[in-house]
Amino acid sequence: MDWKELYKQKCVTAEEAISHIHDGDRVVTAFGCCEPVGIERVMLENYKQFHDVQVSNMLLIGDTFWVHDEVKGHFKYNSFFASASSRAALANGDADFTTSHFYEIPAVLHDVIKPRVTIMSVCPPDENGYVSLGTSVDYIESTLHYCDVKIAQVNKYVPRAQGRAVKHISEFDYFVEIDEPLLEVPAAPLSDVERAIGKNCASLINDGDCLQLGIGGIPNAICEELKNKKDLGLHSEMVSDGVVDLIKSGVINNSKKQTHNGVTVLAFAFGTKKLFDFMDNNPAIEMHPVEYVNHPVEISKNDNMVSINSCIQVDLMGQVVSDTIGLRQFSGVGGQVDFVRGATLSKGGRSIMAMPSTTKNDTISKIVPTITENSAVTTPRNDVNYIVTEYGVAQLKGQTLKNRARALINIAHPNFREELKAEFKRRFNEDF
């Protein structure tokens, strides 16, 4: 059958597509900029027809539909990464949270959660009947191999990303054509603290290194400081707008990479139209599933791998907390440990934890004697290498507990150093 005829047969209304979701089903949706919000909106409008349906996904940019009071009993939300719109529901028990290293989420979905329905966004088919998953390949790509019901929102604003993002229309059951601009994550103006952290991180990056970057002020500040570097590579679970100019200028050219030489490899992208347009039909950027991109062994195949991640809190032993505040789920593990361990395995690799020294207008130190009670350790102290704040760099790997504490106190905010020094004396029975 001609692909155009097949596509026409599979095009349905959103109401028809979601009618194939049954009571008790487990549903997984794409997240971030390519969240299929058009279809989700129709699910919400028709929530009374569903009962005990569990929805799973990761970080949502906008509203978390599944935690609204009116949908209780109809939908239940299971998050892999808390967002501002889901934290309250997670805290009061109205939503569930599944913790996992990012590269293992596809297996957790397949083996444990076992969704029957998957919903994602794609661009319109090309002349050969191929669509692209756009900015979100990550865990959603693998669901096409086993879910009984595969639904795609066809959206002309989705970039035609390359790599494993490209799929034939025969791999889907239903297409719903809804065009609407993608959700965006614009960059905020950089603060002086972020700029200082960016400079300190950039001092640890050499020409020819292969990078993993995240999203937010610190990664954007780091990108600003890399403009004079040469021959950088990029193998990262995600990126934001900050990398576009570096790739265009040739600073990131991937020429020294051992795998995917000459190509930037990502699992998803968070940014604005600037990034989406740059990704569109760009053979120099490939999107691949997170079980590949984030697997520590795959990461380690590139020499001089440098992972850069953020965190909430670090104690004087070097334990890193990145996703909880006490018992409160603040975000998620994401790919932090995936890349920390991958960078450690890499020949010449380094891992960096970058954070402001304080929070809440300098009233709370992020370097602490002991982590907040009931917080979960995200990255164990034995995995931690560099900690960076606006006050400098602390190199922890291979250091004694005393030297770790000294290095961390030296990069703490001056307002908190005396109490940290007092803790040092109490703990080690000697002056700082």
Side-chain angles (χ1 to χ4, degrees):
M1 181 186 296
D2 178 72
W3 75 261
K4 293 180 182 179
E5 183 61 30
L6 179 62
Y7 177 72
K8 184 178 179 180
Q9 290 181 9
K10 293 185 175 187
C11 278
V12 298
T13 65
E15 288 79 7
E16 164 64 17
I18 65 173
S19 72
H20 297 278
I21 301 173
H22 301 158
D23 289 351
D25 270 350
R26 296 187 172 190
V27 178
V28 60
T29 72
F31 77 105
C33 300
C34 264
E35 181 187 356
V37 291
I39 295 175
E40 291 177 335
R41 195 178 297 116
V42 176
M43 290 174 68
L44 188 66
E45 291 168 355
N46 294 276
Y47 71 90
K48 290 182 180 179
Q49 77 183 55
F50 303 103
H51 299 88
D52 192 31
V53 173
Q54 177 182 284
V55 179
S56 298
N57 53 36
M58 284 190 71
L59 178 61
L60 300 184
I61 297 170
D63 191 15
T64 302
F65 300 140
W66 322 109
V67 300
H68 291 185
D69 287 341
E70 66 268 24
V71 305
K72 287 182 180 179
H74 301 278
F75 294 111
K76 182 67 178 283
Y77 185 51
N78 179 22
S79 175
F80 285 105
F81 202 106
S83 62
S85 59
S86 65
R87 288 177 191 136
L90 291 169
N92 64 29
D94 285 338
D96 289 328
F97 185 86
T98 297
T99 185
S100 175
H101 297 307
F102 199 177
Y103 87 95
E104 293 182 313
I105 286 179
V108 170
L109 282 166
H110 179 271
D111 298 339
V112 182
I113 295 176
K114 300 179 180 178
R116 197 181 75 86
V117 181
T118 182
I119 308 175
M120 60 199 74
S121 295
V122 300
C123 69
D126 65 11
E127 66 275 10
N128 296 310
Y130 286 91
V131 298
S132 173
L133 304 180
T135 65
S136 183
V137 175
D138 43 78
Y139 60 78
I140 206 70
E141 187 270 347
S142 66
T143 64
L144 289 171
H145 305 309
Y146 63 84
C147 281
D148 292 340
V149 180
K150 299 173 277 287
I151 302 171
Q153 177 177 331
V154 182
N155 185 352
K156 69 179 183 181
Y157 293 96
V158 171
R160 188 173 294 280
Q162 303 301 302
R164 290 278 293 279
V166 178
K167 301 295 173 184
H168 193 263
I169 63 160
S170 60
E171 297 184 57
F172 300 84
D173 296 308
Y174 305 102
F175 294 103
V176 179
E177 294 181 332
I178 303 175
D179 291 328
E180 51 190 2
L182 301 189
L183 298 171
E184 296 191 4
V185 185
L190 295 178
S191 68
D192 291 341
V193 168
E194 289 167 337
R195 292 184 184 280
I197 295 170
K199 288 181 180 180
N200 289 335
C201 288
S203 71
L204 300 173
I205 297 171
N206 304 317
D207 292 346
D209 284 347
C210 185
L211 307 182
Q212 174 244 333
L213 296 167
I215 187 172
I218 292 174
N220 288 336
I222 293 169
C223 288
E224 287 290 316
E225 296 297 325
L226 296 179
K227 293 179 179 178
N228 294 321
K229 303 289 184 180
K230 298 178 181 178
D231 299 327
L232 297 179
L234 191 57
H235 179 111
S236 184
E237 73 177 52
M238 60 87 64
V239 292
S240 56
D241 289 10
V243 304
V244 173
D245 292 340
L246 292 177
I247 298 175
K248 284 184 175 180
S249 68
V251 171
I252 294 175
N253 59 25
N254 298 292
S255 63
K256 304 297 183 182
K257 289 172 66 177
Q258 281 64 48
T259 65
H260 298 276
N261 186 268
V263 175
T264 289
V265 172
L266 309 171
F268 72 98
F270 260 39
T272 68
K273 190 173 183 295
K274 176 180 180 179
L275 178 60
F276 308 151
D277 288 347
F278 185 68
M279 293 174 60
D280 190 45
N281 271 316
N282 189 341
I285 299 177
E286 290 187 359
M287 307 292 287
H288 289 273
V290 74
E291 62 267 35
Y292 172 76
V293 176
N294 279 41
H295 197 294
V297 172
E298 295 300 329
I299 294 166
S300 71
K301 290 178 181 178
N302 284 304
D303 294 346
N304 304 305
M305 187 74 211
V306 181
S307 73
I308 305 172
N309 290 280
S310 60
C311 52
I312 294 172
Q313 196 175 65
V314 180
D315 73 5
L316 290 182
M317 290 192 296
Q319 297 185 111
V320 170
V321 175
S322 301
D323 67 310
T324 60
I325 302 174
L327 291 174
R328 182 186 178 202
Q329 192 66 47
F330 185 80
S331 55
V333 174
Q336 181 172 122
V337 182
D338 303 346
F339 275 90
V340 166
R341 291 178 176 168
T344 300
L345 291 169
S346 164
K347 180 181 178 182
R350 285 140 280 151
S351 67
I352 299 168
M353 294 291 169
M355 65 176 187
S357 63
T358 63
T359 187
K360 302 291 185 182
N361 296 316
D362 294 339
T363 62
I364 299 174
S365 177
K366 299 183 77 168
I367 295 176
V368 294
T370 58
I371 60 175
T372 300
E373 185 178 7
N374 295 318
S375 293
V377 173
T378 308
T379 302
R381 61 182 184 174
N382 293 336
D383 287 320
V384 175
N385 191 349
Y386 291 98
I387 303 289
V388 174
T389 73
E390 69 271 31
Y391 292 102
V393 177
Q395 195 277 317
L396 304 188
K397 188 168 283 290
Q399 298 298 320
T400 65
L401 292 179
K402 288 181 183 179
N403 286 341
R404 282 170 172 252
R406 287 191 183 98
L408 288 166
I409 292 169
N410 283 332
I411 64 167
H413 193 284
N415 290 354
F416 297 94
R417 288 181 192 173
E418 289 308 312
E419 69 179 69
L420 291 170
K421 289 177 181 179
E423 170 63 18
F424 181 94
K425 183 174 183 179
R426 186 198 67 77
R427 187 177 300 186
F428 298 112
N429 198 30
E430 66 176 66
D431 291 333
F432 179 81

